[in-house]
Amino acid sequence: MGQSRRSFLTRLATSKGFRVLHVLSDEVTHIVSEDNQGSGLWAWLRGCGLKLLPKMHVLDISWFTDSMREGRPVAVEAKHRLQDALPESSPAPPMAAVSPYACQRRTTTENHNKIFTEAFEVLAESCEFSEREGPCLAFRRAASVLKSLPWAVQCLGAARSLPCLGEQTKVIMEEILQHGHSFDVEKVLSDERYQTLKLFTSVFGVGPKTGDKWYRRGLRSLRDILEEPSIQLNRMQKVGFLHYGDISRAVSRAEALALGGIIDGAVGRITRDAVLVLTGGFRRGKEFGHDVDFLLTTPQQGKEEALLLAVLDTLRQQGILLYCDYHPSTFDISKLRIGWYDAMDHYPKGFLIMRLEGSQVEGGLQRDKGDDRGWRAVRVDLVSPPMDRYAFALLGWTGSRQFDRDLRRYARRERRMLVDNHALYDKTKKEFLAAETEKDIFVHLGLEYIEPWQRNA
Ligand code: UTP
Ligand code: MN
């Protein structure tokens, strides 16, 4: 309940001789809740590490009002109890410890701890801009753990037993709980270098290194860059500036589906024997993304690269391929050094910008006020793995990035296995393990299956 409501009820109860505690501990006998979903409250309580929780009464406000009327704690009846999501007969199990690996947590798109995770993401990004990889990863891991919780952290005690939260992250959480914001985060947000790098890297084709180079030359705005005669933009950056407004605007699910239909149409003209799958954030159930990711493959092993090239040709002929950065296959199973690739895998792929007509999108386009062009540009990644690599590629391209990272870390540390977008290697048996589906990969790794919509780590 809200703070003023709680103060009022506390005064009322105290005046009648009740003892009201402000900190949750094993001393508490009755927990009173108002306007709360039972399941959320129970999940939170289980995360608080109480020994005597099974003995406590978890009650609706009706028990409190009845007790105030009587002037004494009334006997608890069934109607007072706040129902758990679990059946009443089964004793509440202690909450399973939260795993330090994202691939052992279920993380939906519903984030109950945005106030913390958004702060950590700003700090992680700021570390990234100054190439401090250690702290960057620490902030990302902390954010990821908090995203997985089905309840909001409302006191630091509740976060006590969580993994991946170091001293520094706890200090920041404490600040946010007390003041509503963190001074470190405010400092970063008002920092000129952070603001400028954030702006520069929002241009397609501009990474932190280039952004920093421009910053150190005293450039501060996108106009500064375009007007600086000595700057030679590459092809990617030129198109990035050209379509800046469109590309920096989020892509909706309806737009992603429309693009899927268009690419599927192009595929259909070439072969009836192909699969096009939407991956990335949209496969994880996100409603918006910064781009649209597709996997394209065919059961005719070895024909996938030709298929991709033919699809790109068709899109080009339709006049809807505004930009195409094509990367031919560098995949060679006999030379595969698994676990060595970092950002880019070996499959043939196109990093594209496509033209999407508003008339093809259910509900219309995402656009700025006053924009009546009737179309927009969208960033699309189209990747073509061979069919026998499909499961690995799908798992990798579905993400999230943090989920993938922890999957590799878990495999290496806990199973002596190496996994990436191409394959899974067992170092103990010294052999590659085949997989037709994502589930096969989880089984090999001894992990419970995590659905795509639970991988928003
Ligand atoms: P994205 O960067 O598109 O992220 O990469 P996303 O989760 O879809 O988020 P938004 O909504 O677009 O912002 C999707 C997944 O593909 C992997 C990434 O690691 C991520 O998990 N990926 C990306 C690769 O495996 N290889 C690449 O070259 C690029
Ligand atoms: Mn994406």
Side-chain angles (χ1 to χ4, degrees):
M1 62 188 72
Q3 194 145 23
S4 58
R5 172 87 169 141
R6 193 175 66 187
S7 305
F8 167 73
L9 297 178
T10 299
R11 275 197 305 278
L12 181 66
T14 318
S15 74
K16 291 181 187 282
F18 284 71
R19 200 170 154 224
V20 180
L21 298 182
H22 295 277
V23 178
L24 183 59
S25 72
D26 281 317
E27 251 185 279
V28 171
T29 54
H30 297 66
I31 295 168
V32 175
S33 146
E34 188 173 43
D35 284 343
N36 247 320
Q37 290 274 315
S39 56
L41 179 67
W42 273 102
W44 178 74
L45 285 169
R46 288 203 195 91
C48 289
L50 297 166
K51 283 195 206 73
L52 300 181
L53 182 60
K55 290 198 171 166
M56 292 177 192
H57 298 293
V58 181
L59 306 165
D60 187 54
I61 191 76
S62 63
W63 175 82
F64 184 91
T65 27
D66 288 356
S67 299
M68 289 306 110
R69 196 183 314 117
E70 298 280 321
R72 60 178 177 87
V74 298
V76 171
E77 295 170 40
K79 64 171 184 189
H80 295 135
R81 284 187 205 283
L82 202 69
Q83 289 301 321
D84 189 357
L86 296 162
E88 255 210 297
S89 53
S90 69
M95 183 163 100
V98 176
S99 168
Y101 296 107
C103 55
Q104 290 186 306
R105 303 191 292 256
R106 296 175 199 274
T107 313
T108 65
T109 53
E110 199 181 345
N111 178 359
H112 299 274
N113 290 287
K114 263 207 184 112
I115 49 165
F116 308 114
T117 61
E118 280 172 359
F120 290 155
E121 269 149 22
V122 168
L123 296 170
E125 200 172 29
S126 150
C127 292
E128 202 165 32
F129 288 158
S130 42
E131 292 178 80
R132 288 181 293 137
E133 280 166 32
C136 175
L137 200 58
F139 286 129
R140 292 244 150 87
R141 285 208 183 124
S144 176
V145 164
L146 293 173
K147 279 185 193 173
S148 76
L149 303 177
W151 42 274
V153 172
Q154 273 155 4
C155 64
L156 216 48
R160 204 175 34 207
S161 58
L162 296 174
C164 308
L165 299 181
E167 268 321 298
Q168 201 191 350
T169 53
K170 283 190 179 155
V171 169
I172 292 161
M173 287 174 75
E174 179 93 82
E175 270 183 351
I176 294 174
L177 284 167
Q178 271 185 13
H179 308 284
H181 61 91
S182 143
F183 301 106
D184 286 352
V185 175
E186 300 291 298
K187 212 165 87 193
V188 168
L189 287 174
S190 59
D191 178 60
E192 190 183 33
R193 180 166 178 275
Y194 172 83
Q195 289 173 356
T196 313
L197 284 187
K198 180 107 181 134
L199 175 70
F200 289 173
T201 55
S202 72
V203 179
F204 177 56
V206 181
K209 287 222 167 66
T210 308
D212 187 53
K213 200 171 71 192
W214 291 344
Y215 177 79
R216 281 188 281 117
R217 290 177 57 174
L219 306 168
R220 294 294 179 266
S221 68
L222 297 184
R223 169 164 295 188
D224 285 353
I225 290 166
L226 292 172
E227 287 175 353
E228 172 56 51
S230 68
I231 286 187
Q232 285 290 322
L233 298 176
N234 65 27
R235 199 166 77 92
M236 203 187 279
Q237 292 159 352
K238 275 185 196 148
V239 78
F241 274 104
L242 185 63
H243 298 292
Y244 182 75
D246 279 352
I247 296 178
S248 54
R249 183 162 51 250
V251 184
S252 70
R253 171 171 292 274
E255 289 170 338
L257 294 176
L259 283 161
I262 291 164
I263 300 173
D264 227 8
V267 173
R269 293 190 192 182
I270 298 153
T271 172
R272 308 178 80 186
D273 219 12
V275 199
L276 181 77
V277 183
L278 182 61
T279 62
F282 289 111
R283 182 160 183 252
R284 303 196 308 271
K286 279 174 60 176
E287 286 304 318
F288 292 94
H290 92 284
D291 68 354
V292 193
D293 309 285
F294 293 102
L295 288 194
L296 171 66
T297 192
T298 158
Q300 291 173 282
Q301 184 85 14
K303 295 277 198 283
E304 59 285 338
E305 185 160 25
L307 172 63
L308 174 58
L309 283 166
V311 170
L312 293 175
D313 260 342
T314 307
L315 298 175
R316 203 171 283 121
Q317 280 160 24
Q318 292 174 344
I320 55 177
L321 204 52
L322 300 174
Y323 172 84
C324 174
D325 176 19
Y326 186 73
H327 292 250
S329 170
T330 52
F331 185 68
D332 178 348
I333 187 84
S334 63
K335 293 193 190 133
L336 196 61
R337 297 180 73 189
I338 188 181
W340 277 67
Y341 104 98
D342 187 27
M344 185 91 99
D345 61 38
H346 293 292
Y347 302 126
K349 62 176 78 65
F351 298 120
L352 319 176
I353 296 177
M354 286 180 64
R355 180 185 163 111
L356 178 61
E357 298 296 329
S359 58
Q360 292 179 291
V361 181
E362 205 184 315
L365 292 172
Q366 292 288 112
R367 58 181 172 195
D368 289 336
K369 258 199 227 110
D371 174 0
D372 53 7
R373 283 172 307 163
W375 66 276
R376 69 166 288 183
V378 183
R379 270 275 301 118
V380 172
D381 290 344
L382 190 51
V383 189
S384 271
M387 193 53 117
D388 65 342
R389 304 287 115 203
Y390 176 73
F392 299 102
L394 182 63
L395 185 58
W397 277 87
T398 298
S400 67
R401 211 166 281 266
Q402 197 60 30
F403 187 91
D404 291 351
R405 260 189 213 131
D406 273 8
L407 195 72
R408 294 197 276 268
R409 193 162 64 101
Y410 172 87
R412 203 173 55 238
R413 293 236 217 129
E414 308 293 332
R415 304 280 168 196
R416 282 185 41 85
M417 290 185 189
L418 299 172
V419 63
D420 65 12
N421 285 19
H422 313 99
L424 173 62
Y425 183 75
D426 186 328
K427 294 211 283 184
T428 312
K429 293 190 189 156
K430 294 200 171 58
E431 63 182 24
F432 284 100
L433 306 176
E436 268 179 38
T437 64
E438 290 180 314
K439 284 199 174 113
D440 294 342
I441 303 172
F442 282 86
V443 169
H444 283 315
L445 289 169
L447 286 169
E448 271 180 49
Y449 183 64
I450 308 283
E451 299 283 352
W453 50 271
Q454 298 170 324
R455 298 182 204 157
N456 288 285

